[in-house]
Amino acid sequence: MSKVLQVGPLMPAVAQALRDDYDAHVLPDGVLPDDPAFLVEHGGEITVVVTSGAGAVDAALMDALPNLGAIVNFGVGYDTIDVDAARARGIGVSNTPDVLNDAVADTAVALVLDTLRGFSAADRFVRAGRWPVERMFPLTRDVRGARVGILGLGRIGRAIALRLLAFGCSISYHNRRRVPDVEYPYAASPVELAASVDVLVVAVTGGPSSTGLVDRAVLDALGPEGYLVNVSRGRVVDEAELVAALVEGRLAGAGLDVYTDEPHVPKALTGLDNVVLLPHVGSATVQTRAAMAELMLRNVASFLKTGELVTPVG
């Protein structure tokens, strides 16, 4: 009798470990099956759900699993889990914090460099055979001396700030609350932060409270000389407004690792040379994913053995 249910796709090695260690059941599409026989036969035995950002765990699924005690998320962001519904039902939720901070911070800095310096566009310029014909690639912007605002100065945000200081950037930030023992200037709102910087890096935790946080007002405050970098969650940025700002020239450029409807990227962005598009690879290194998998599996094992999660959220 399996007590574990995998919801949505996971790394093959992680999925295999869940099968080997727990004979885990799988909802491959992250949705309730059309055939109710699965839930009739197995719903009552499931005590742990394992998922990632590619699978949603909503109230309907929780209700179909009457003995569910924990939802273990592979990743630091858990916006695809209805945390409020879980709390109301006494279901614990865990994620994999800290182990991916460095990889995501490295990705954010790479996006800042690429977006301002246009390296990906320059690569395409060379590959298309344009260099011998046009001779000069357009001038780009220095990273050194850039004013960078970090929206969300948590663990990842701090790691991004530390790296950018080495490039001679000045740092300011906005959080819902000031961060103790931080000397970076604090902005009272996302709009205030955007208006004071050249580059806005989005590193907030995803979820209902941050959905649409970067809206037209923020983008307009950043302005036609400003750049947006997002390594958080796609839903944090109003994607339609972002596309419009880029197409209309109201924003200088953007570096994106996340999108509202992954893996679908707005078609209008794919033809813009001032936009760098990554396929949600912020933490996608061998070492980081191995550490995430180990922590996730420890959460599963701990809950099944003791009823306690290693890294519970909130």
Side-chain angles (χ1 to χ4, degrees):
M1 178 187 298
S2 176
K3 296 182 178 181
V4 177
L5 175 66
Q6 174 188 330
V7 176
L10 292 169
M11 282 176 52
V14 174
Q16 187 63 53
L18 292 174
R19 287 194 298 271
D20 291 345
D21 296 345
Y22 305 107
D23 193 24
H25 298 296
V26 181
L27 291 181
D29 298 323
V31 296
L32 289 171
D34 293 330
D35 182 2
F38 174 88
L39 295 177
V40 171
E41 183 176 358
H42 301 293
E45 62 191 57
I46 301 299
T47 57
V48 178
V49 159
V50 179
T51 188
S52 70
V57 183
D58 57 16
L61 179 57
M62 296 177 205
D63 288 341
L65 307 173
N67 293 311
L68 182 63
I71 302 167
V72 176
N73 187 62
F74 181 80
V76 68
Y78 46 89
D79 52 308
T80 56
I81 299 171
D82 190 334
V83 176
D84 290 338
R87 287 176 180 148
R89 291 160 176 77
I91 299 169
V93 178
S94 73
N95 63 347
T96 56
D98 295 327
V99 294
L100 46 66
N101 296 353
D102 288 333
V104 176
D106 289 348
T107 301
V109 172
L111 281 170
V112 171
L113 289 167
D114 197 348
T115 304
L116 271 64
R117 291 298 311 277
F119 292 136
S120 290
D123 176 84
R124 292 190 294 271
F125 180 84
V126 172
R127 292 175 188 272
R130 294 170 58 190
W131 194 8
V133 177
E134 300 178 35
R135 296 293 181 184
M136 182 73 74
F137 183 76
L139 296 177
T140 57
R141 192 206 188 286
D142 277 337
V143 173
R144 184 166 191 84
R147 300 170 300 163
V148 179
I150 299 180
L151 189 56
L153 198 71
R155 296 179 180 95
I156 292 173
R158 289 194 194 204
I160 294 168
L162 186 63
R163 285 157 171 77
L164 288 173
L165 287 174
F167 286 89
C169 298
S170 61
I171 305 296
S172 55
Y173 77 100
H174 170 75
N175 269 15
R176 283 175 290 183
R177 292 175 294 275
R178 289 178 182 267
V179 179
D181 304 322
V182 166
E183 296 182 356
Y184 309 133
Y186 174 78
S189 71
V191 170
E192 181 180 311
L193 179 65
S196 67
V197 299
D198 305 304
V199 184
L200 182 65
V201 179
V202 183
V204 300
T205 301
S209 64
S210 59
T211 298
L213 186 64
V214 179
D215 56 12
R216 176 159 186 157
V218 175
L219 296 172
D220 284 348
L222 195 52
E225 302 299 320
Y227 298 82
L228 178 79
V229 168
N230 188 7
V231 292
S232 172
R233 282 291 185 266
R235 294 182 182 89
V236 174
V237 177
D238 185 325
E239 194 166 76
E241 290 291 350
L242 174 61
V243 171
L246 288 163
V247 170
E248 295 167 13
R250 293 185 285 108
L251 198 65
L256 307 173
D257 186 42
V258 290
Y259 311 88
T260 298
D261 185 26
E262 296 179 6
H264 306 291
V265 177
K267 189 69 174 176
L269 296 181
T270 61
L272 298 178
D273 264 347
N274 61 337
V275 181
V276 180
L277 304 171
L278 301 182
H280 202 153
V281 293
S283 63
T285 70
V286 172
Q287 297 90 337
T288 298
R289 290 295 169 86
M292 291 167 63
E294 190 274 335
L295 181 54
M296 186 217 75
L297 291 170
R298 276 203 289 136
N299 271 291
V300 174
S302 175
F303 185 82
L304 290 175
K305 184 176 181 179
T306 69
E308 299 292 332
L309 293 165
V310 178
T311 52
V313 303

